[in-house]
Amino acid sequence: MRTDHGKHWSEQEMIYALSTLKQFLEYLQQRSAFEAPHQPIGKLIWPDDVGRKANYYNGETVKYIPESVLQQIDQQIHLFPAEHLPVFILLRASGWRISDVLNLRCDTCLEHSPSGWWLCGDIRKTNVLNHRVPISNEIAALVTTQQKYVEEHIPPERNPRKYLFPAQKEDRTGLAQSADDFRYVLTSFSKKAELTDDAGKPFRLKAHAFRHTKAVELINNGMSLFYVQKWMAHLSPHMTMVYAKLLDPTMRRAWEEAFAKGAVRIDPAGVPKSVDPEQLVKEQEIEWEHIRHNLDAVRLPNGYCFKPKKANCPTQETPCYTCHHFCTTPDFLPNLSGKNARCVS
């Protein structure tokens, strides 16, 4: 590329310039500056524009917190500054980026349903609005306490956007707490608690490591990659598969095989067809809350029926396999052989 002044820019120079511009625009949006673009930065500057490499997400870039370090944190948590502890706990419980945790709003960040409590907020990097993840009663109580603190101690004019974690400094009036300030707190805590890795070397906590740690924790606890992808608000399953590489080889193969199988439906001709998990997300036919509330009541010998409990279906025990509420997996296919797979309703 050549500029108006006749200078030829190399590809590397262009990537650096666009990357710097992207960081500057993100800074303006984070500070809610008047000059900040109204559109998400991801829609203005695409990843490919700044030279994003296809193999960027690999096992070497996943910097999760080892179990031994987590144990040290639990033992030394009393050394963590009390005013920053709620952010720390939410960061660890949610697996969200620090910028998204600090962007939580008092009036919209907490929801309750028959299945439990949910943390709600916007994932700005991938533009996933009103994203929800389940949280425990204890975490919900912490959020409620923080909401009351903000209501009682922070005047509305100092927090017009109703941040859950409003900045306390005068020069940041009206803004959320600074992510850089929290990163500094993490570094100071790491040194004060004398955290060390398995090799005995000093371990420095980084905010984004909690996100990687949560993804690994979900996988190790048996959550499918499909739901881990939804929890982490990843745009593609390839990003989620990175975390499976951290498991031992046997477990990793099991996860990859399970992910490759996907879900299966029976088409009107009685032929089993695989279903793309991303398609299921778009159709919103499999929702976490719905599954948690209904799955045990509608599990069948040959698959799953996702109909609501209140729906009266006389054929549920012998389901119509073409019904959009019915879904099965390859493990059930031997039970389906010789059966009529056509819908008779």
Side-chain angles (χ1 to χ4, degrees):
M1 176 179 178
R2 194 175 74 175
T3 66
D4 293 338
H5 299 288
K7 177 184 176 181
H8 290 273
W9 286 47
S10 68
E11 181 179 358
Q12 188 172 7
E13 289 175 325
M14 284 297 301
I15 290 174
Y16 177 78
L18 287 172
S19 178
T20 303
L21 175 62
K22 180 175 181 289
Q23 293 178 12
F24 176 67
L25 294 177
E26 288 174 341
Y27 172 83
L28 292 178
Q29 281 194 343
Q30 188 176 14
R31 298 296 189 273
S32 299
F34 175 77
E35 300 85 356
H38 297 292
Q39 289 277 356
I41 304 304
K43 289 187 176 181
L44 301 177
I45 302 178
W46 288 58
D48 290 341
D49 294 336
V50 293
R52 178 178 175 180
K53 298 180 181 179
N55 63 347
Y56 177 79
Y57 292 99
N58 53 57
E60 294 302 319
T61 64
V62 179
K63 305 296 184 182
Y64 70 107
I65 305 173
E67 182 64 30
S68 61
V69 176
L70 291 176
Q71 293 176 1
Q72 295 173 57
I73 293 174
D74 292 339
Q75 294 170 358
Q76 303 290 337
I77 195 63
H78 61 279
L79 299 176
F80 205 90
E83 64 271 22
H84 295 285
L85 194 55
V87 177
F88 176 90
I89 294 175
L90 278 183
L91 198 66
R92 184 170 176 180
S94 67
W96 289 5
R97 299 173 182 87
I98 180 60
S99 59
D100 295 325
V101 170
L102 295 178
N103 192 52
L104 288 170
R105 310 302 170 99
C106 281
D107 54 340
T108 60
C109 67
L110 196 62
E111 289 185 11
H112 188 263
S113 71
S115 61
W117 290 98
W118 300 78
L119 185 69
C120 310
D122 297 336
I123 309 301
R124 294 183 292 177
K125 183 174 182 179
T126 51
N127 198 32
V128 178
L129 304 181
N130 195 32
H131 185 56
R132 304 193 313 163
V133 295
I135 55 176
S136 66
N137 292 336
E138 293 77 12
I139 299 298
L142 179 144
V143 174
T144 302
T145 301
Q146 179 66 18
Q147 289 173 323
K148 292 180 179 178
Y149 173 83
V150 172
E151 180 181 354
E152 295 174 358
H153 295 86
I154 308 298
E157 60 271 17
R158 288 185 55 86
N159 188 24
R161 295 181 178 85
K162 300 181 179 180
Y163 287 114
L164 183 64
F165 301 108
Q168 302 291 330
K169 297 179 180 179
E170 290 293 334
D171 60 345
R172 288 185 57 83
T173 298
L175 303 177
Q177 289 184 23
S178 168
D180 289 338
D181 287 349
F182 184 78
R183 293 187 183 99
Y184 176 79
V185 170
L186 282 179
T187 300
S188 299
F189 169 74
S190 301
K191 296 178 180 178
K192 192 172 184 179
E194 298 181 345
L195 302 180
T196 57
D197 59 18
D198 294 334
K201 297 181 179 180
F203 189 93
R204 298 292 177 258
L205 287 175
K206 295 185 178 180
H208 204 69
F210 288 96
R211 178 169 173 80
H212 296 314
T213 303
K214 186 64 179 182
V216 173
E217 174 187 307
L218 294 175
I219 293 177
N220 281 333
N221 287 339
M223 180 178 283
S224 72
L225 294 180
F226 170 70
Y227 292 120
V228 175
Q229 177 188 347
K230 189 170 184 179
W231 182 302
M232 306 303 290
H234 286 157
L235 292 179
S236 73
H238 302 291
M239 299 174 67
T240 314
M241 281 296 294
V242 170
Y243 300 106
K245 297 178 180 179
L246 298 175
L247 305 176
D248 63 76
T250 301
M251 182 67 73
R252 176 185 172 185
R253 283 195 299 270
W255 278 114
E256 290 178 343
E257 290 172 2
F259 184 79
K261 288 181 179 179
V264 177
R265 283 184 180 153
I266 307 299
D267 68 9
V271 179
K273 298 289 186 181
S274 62
V275 182
D276 185 352
E278 292 186 3
Q279 176 186 344
L280 296 177
V281 173
K282 294 176 182 177
E283 294 175 357
Q284 296 183 347
E285 292 181 4
I286 296 183
E287 284 293 333
W288 284 354
E289 183 177 352
H290 186 75
I291 290 176
R292 292 177 63 187
H293 192 59
N294 295 291
L295 182 58
D296 291 339
V298 292
R299 183 181 180 121
L300 305 173
N302 46 14
Y304 304 97
C305 177
F306 292 103
K307 81 167 187 64
K309 283 184 177 180
K310 295 181 179 179
N312 183 19
C313 178
T315 64
Q316 181 178 349
E317 293 302 322
T318 307
C320 300
Y321 297 139
T322 56
C323 175
H324 72 279
H325 288 305
F326 179 78
C327 186
T328 187
T329 68
D331 296 332
F332 289 101
L333 292 183
N335 299 334
L336 297 172
S337 60
K339 296 181 180 290
N340 181 13
R342 294 181 180 274
C343 181
V344 295
S345 61

